[in-house]
């Protein structure tokens, strides 16, 4: 009889551990929220177009701006943001360069700052634009499981390619017509 009880208790323990691993192994539920701010560029403005919120930043060739926002952990386990994943969305005038690490307890949020370099204005016609709408994060859940999370930013960050006078490497043939 004691042997049967021990076997049942052992099976229950295995099921509980397996269930805990399954819960911890799920992709973390993260969302980006405000308030937001921008530093490192001369001007920025926020405006709404239908259901989109757009953050316009002034392009500064070879400059870097910092975009701060909050990341909320909507899950039941703590999440550690390790930084950016190697594969980021393609953008023409922006290169996503850095997002510092930080821990977010379950059900809480924390401010993070994304660094974005600006370059390549000579490859776009003047006044053409580029957006950053999302980033891909490397995360660790419950201190154990590493994963990547595709995170939509709280605003669509936009810049326009400047006129030739403010794009020092542009030439008569480097920019497409238009």
């Amino acid at each position: 009889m004691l042997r049967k009880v021990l076997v049942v208790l052992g099976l229950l323990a295995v099921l509980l551990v397996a269930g805990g691993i399954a819960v911890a192994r799920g992709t973390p539920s993260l969302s980006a929220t405000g308030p937001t701010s921008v530093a490192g560029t001369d001007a920025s403005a926020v405006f709404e177009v239908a259901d989109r919120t757009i953050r316009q930043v002034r392009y500064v060739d070879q400059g870097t701006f910092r975009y701060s926002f909050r990341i909320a952990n909507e899950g039941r386990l703590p999440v550690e943001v390790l930084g950016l994943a190697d594969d980021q969305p393609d953008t023409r005038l922006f290169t996503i360069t850095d997002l510092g690490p930080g821990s977010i307890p379950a059900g809480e949020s924390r401010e993070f700052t994304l660094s974005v370099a600006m370059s390549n204005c000579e490859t776009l016609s003047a006044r053409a634009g580029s957006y950053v709408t999302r980033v891909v994060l490397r995360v660790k859940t419950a201190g154990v499981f590493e994963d990547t999370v595709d995170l939509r930013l709280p605003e669509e960050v936009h810049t326009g390619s400047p006129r030739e006078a403010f794009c020092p490497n542009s030439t008569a043939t480097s920019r497409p017509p238009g």
Side-chain angles (χ1 to χ4, degrees):
M1 178 70 170
L2 180 60
R3 186 177 187 106
K4 286 182 183 180
V5 170
L6 290 175
V7 168
V8 168
L9 288 175
L11 285 172
L12 285 174
V14 168
L15 288 173
L16 286 173
V17 168
I21 289 173
V23 168
R25 188 60 193 122
T27 302
S29 180
L30 303 177
S31 64
T33 65
T36 63
S37 65
V38 171
T41 184
D42 292 345
S44 123
V46 178
F47 55 95
E48 308 256 341
V49 176
D51 61 345
R52 298 169 54 197
T53 301
I54 298 172
R55 164 75 66 167
Q56 177 74 31
V57 297
R58 179 168 290 153
Y59 179 87
V60 178
D61 196 48
Q62 304 304 312
T64 297
F65 71 89
R66 289 160 304 287
Y67 178 69
S68 297
F69 60 98
R70 296 189 75 76
I71 298 177
N73 177 2
E74 299 166 347
R76 290 182 260 167
L77 297 170
V79 172
E80 182 179 354
V81 176
L82 303 172
L84 295 169
D86 290 336
D87 293 326
Q88 293 299 314
D90 288 331
T91 59
R92 192 70 175 264
L93 298 174
F94 294 134
T95 302
I96 301 164
T97 60
D98 186 49
L99 181 88
S103 297
I104 313 169
E108 294 186 25
S109 68
R110 179 177 181 272
E111 184 176 282
F112 285 82
T113 300
L114 182 69
S115 294
V116 182
M118 296 177 275
S119 63
N120 297 323
C121 63
E122 64 275 359
T123 66
L124 281 179
S125 60
R127 305 287 176 119
S130 187
Y131 286 92
V132 173
T133 59
R134 62 188 183 85
V135 293
V136 183
L137 307 177
R138 288 184 318 107
V139 299
K140 188 182 281 188
T141 305
V144 179
F145 301 105
E146 286 196 28
D147 212 337
T148 59
V149 173
D150 193 313
L151 183 71
R152 182 169 199 74
L153 297 175
E155 302 165 326
E156 297 179 29
V157 181
H158 176 265
T159 195
S161 188
R163 295 180 181 267
E164 284 73 8
F166 299 102
C167 185
N169 296 321
S170 67
T171 66
T173 59
S174 70
R175 291 181 137 180

